[in-house]
Amino acid sequence: AQSVTQLDSHVSVSEGTPVLLRCNYSSSYSPSLFWYVQHPNKGLQLLLKYTSAATLVKGINGFEAEFKKSETSFHLTKPSAHMSDAAEYFCVVSVYSGYALNFGKGTSLLVTP
Amino acid sequence: DAGITQSPRHKVTETGTPVTLRCHQTENHRYMYWYRQDPGHGLRLIHYSYGVKDTDKGEVSDGYSVSRSKTEDFLLTLESATSSQTSVYFCAISDPGMGPDTQYFGPGTRLTVL
């Protein structure tokens, strides 16, 4: 079965410093992997998607993620955090059956001035 | 933003009452999904639809039913609401032509069962 594990439930960074949100995946197939972001009391917004075309995926708002098959990881990074990045981030894998998604439990990113 | 609306956006109801949540899309996407979001669990799939009148169960389908009589509408029904169904419910859509597993989410419905 396809699943993801987000290794940190909370991450705190200072504004202007790098962001690293960690995700490991488990999949029997070559997976489709996603990162979604949810700002407080808002819906979910797609940040980026990996579909095997390239291992380094660039998303919106300066985020990117690197697919590492040897490490079964799909970590999300950003070179410099902005206050507006404070949100909940979800690592997600497609389960193929009906193209449904399995979500990680989320990582809450706090950005301090 | 994808053309997805959910109604109602907020609802408070009592245990044992029936509740129906509506998801409406203007994108003519084939697939529609219902998820619930609870603290510490991320989002979990309740039911999904792969076409009009074609639905299937997800991970947490007990206590829920769905119907899809038109492409644009996907209804989620709690036949007899329980306190454990207090949650935020999200609808999502996707389409084979857009990458079938790329889902776009509605704004959510916050349901409280007293």
Side-chain angles (χ1 to χ4, degrees):
Chain A
Q2 286 68 244
S3 65
V4 291
T5 301
Q6 293 184 243
L7 301 177
D8 307 290
S9 58
H10 295 85
V11 170
S12 181
V13 301
S14 299
E15 189 175 20
T17 64
V19 175
L20 170 63
L21 305 182
R22 300 182 295 163
C23 174
N24 288 348
Y25 71 90
S26 173
S27 176
S28 304
Y29 308 92
S30 180
S32 290
L33 292 161
F34 310 78
W35 278 97
Y36 280 83
V37 60
Q38 184 180 29
H39 288 91
N41 299 312
K42 299 290 187 182
L44 287 92
Q45 181 181 21
L46 178 64
L47 273 180
L48 51 81
K49 174 183 178 179
Y50 166 77
T51 56
S52 78
T55 56
L56 185 61
V57 183
K58 294 188 182 300
I60 61 172
N61 300 333
F63 284 94
E64 61 183 35
E66 186 171 9
F67 176 77
K68 291 187 176 180
K69 186 175 181 179
S70 61
E71 299 176 8
T72 62
S73 69
F74 189 58
H75 301 336
L76 182 71
T77 60
K78 183 174 181 178
S80 177
H82 191 274
M83 295 298 290
S84 62
D85 295 328
E88 189 87 10
Y89 292 80
F90 294 97
C91 181
V92 182
V93 64
S94 173
V95 297
Y96 294 102
S97 175
Y99 302 106
L101 302 177
N102 261 353
F103 281 73
K105 294 185 178 182
T107 297
S108 179
L109 176 64
L110 175 66
V111 182
T112 58
Chain B
D1 291 344
I4 312 170
T5 56
Q6 294 184 231
S7 59
R9 295 293 314 279
H10 301 271
K11 185 171 182 66
V12 180
T13 190
E14 293 188 351
T15 298
T17 60
V19 176
T20 296
L21 308 183
R22 180 182 184 233
C23 177
H24 178 78
Q25 60 146 329
T26 58
E27 307 294 326
N28 200 37
H29 280 10
R30 177 179 171 187
Y31 293 93
M32 299 186 75
Y33 309 82
W34 277 108
Y35 294 87
R36 60 178 288 174
Q37 182 178 28
D38 304 291
H41 288 279
L43 274 75
R44 293 178 291 175
L45 181 67
I46 305 172
H47 282 279
Y48 66 95
S49 169
Y50 45 95
V52 174
K53 298 191 188 302
D54 292 324
T55 65
D56 207 347
K57 297 179 179 180
E59 176 189 357
V60 290
S61 60
D62 287 349
Y64 302 94
S65 62
V66 290
S67 65
R68 191 170 179 199
S69 58
K70 299 185 290 185
T71 298
E72 58 266 36
D73 289 325
F74 192 33
L75 303 181
L76 177 71
T77 297
L78 292 65
E79 300 291 347
S80 178
T82 68
S83 59
S84 64
Q85 294 176 311
T86 292
S87 188
V88 181
Y89 292 85
F90 286 98
C91 173
I93 63 175
S94 70
D95 193 81
M98 302 287 288
D101 53 6
T102 302
Q103 295 185 15
Y104 299 94
F105 286 80
T109 293
R110 184 174 296 275
L111 176 67
T112 301
V113 183
L114 301 176

